[in-house]
Amino acid sequence: MESGSNGAEPTSWEELYNINLIPSELFFKFRKEIEGMRVGVNLEFYNAPINEFQAKFVLKPLSPDKKWKFIYEPIHQDIRILSKKIPVTKFLNLQVGIGHNFQLHATGWKWKLTTCLGGDGISRIRNKTTLGLCSGMDFRFAWRADYVLPEITGALGTGEPLFNLSTGKLEASLDRVETIVTHAQ
């Protein structure tokens, strides 16, 4: 690649993108549907930056207008009730929860605003993609892409270059792989 008129060193294509396909989280979710409820066991393995394991028991209604889910973490001795994600705008969701930690004898509540755009809202896309292999078995991939769009600038009579090109940059990663096994009656 040629350098721009600003005299910068040429950038190789390898420096313009970075794609990481090694997930830092592996989840195995086992679900059973019983009389309008979904009972689940989640085994969650975190690889980076530290190796950690979590187990969760999840209970939530199957109806389309479900409003909550119950989570129990036996290792941390946490129980939580979380609301569903409530759409605030087209790209913004609100989730509220209340919980108790038996080890710390503490009760509290949390709220969280989330968006698929993440980061600063402009330079990051986060998404989950589900692939159904067969009835009762799904794979879900959580991925993200951080990017800087290419930019062309120029000036005349200001001492700045007449033409300058910034090629942009892309960093993409596969953050989580989930295997979901659902047993329906």
Side-chain angles (χ1 to χ4, degrees):
M1 292 177 39
E2 296 179 26
S3 66
S5 61
N6 63 356
E9 290 293 318
T11 304
S12 70
W13 284 105
E14 289 80 23
E15 293 173 352
L16 295 177
Y17 68 91
N18 179 18
I19 299 175
N20 181 6
L21 296 176
I22 307 296
S24 59
E25 301 174 359
L26 294 173
F27 287 12
F28 297 98
K29 296 182 176 184
F30 302 95
R31 298 174 175 168
K32 172 102 173 136
E33 297 174 2
I34 303 172
E35 296 183 23
M37 300 293 280
R38 176 180 289 150
V39 179
V41 175
N42 297 354
L43 304 175
E44 303 175 358
F45 300 90
Y46 299 93
N47 188 27
I50 59 171
N51 292 330
E52 187 177 330
F53 166 75
Q54 285 186 1
K56 293 180 182 176
F57 297 100
V58 181
L59 176 68
K60 69 179 177 180
L62 287 173
S63 66
D65 60 340
K66 66 176 173 51
K67 306 275 189 226
W68 60 274
K69 69 179 170 181
F70 173 82
I71 300 171
Y72 172 62
E73 295 181 35
I75 296 172
H76 296 110
Q77 295 183 358
D78 267 345
I79 60 169
R80 290 191 305 266
I81 296 177
L82 296 176
S83 73
K84 71 174 190 171
K85 291 181 181 172
I86 304 161
V88 178
T89 66
K90 184 176 180 181
F91 298 107
L92 191 63
N93 297 312
L94 171 69
Q95 189 172 33
V96 179
I98 187 167
H100 181 76
N101 183 293
F102 291 99
Q103 286 179 334
L104 302 175
H105 304 291
T107 301
W109 68 280
K110 287 183 176 181
W111 59 272
K112 175 170 68 169
L113 283 173
T114 60
T115 177
C116 67
L117 299 175
D120 58 12
I122 297 172
S123 64
R124 174 175 282 180
I125 296 174
R126 292 185 319 203
N127 207 342
K128 291 181 182 175
T129 303
T130 302
L131 174 66
L133 287 184
C134 59
S135 179
M137 182 170 219
D138 296 320
F139 285 112
R140 184 181 298 154
F141 305 96
W143 57 271
R144 70 178 164 84
D146 297 319
Y147 59 90
V148 176
L149 293 174
E151 183 179 81
I152 300 173
T153 60
L156 186 60
T158 63
E160 296 178 30
L162 179 63
F163 180 80
N164 191 16
L165 172 67
S166 172
T167 54
K169 190 172 185 172
L170 170 67
E171 291 188 17
S173 67
L174 178 64
D175 294 333
R176 179 189 307 167
V177 174
E178 299 179 14
T179 301
I180 303 168
V181 178
T182 304
H183 182 264
Q185 287 185 340

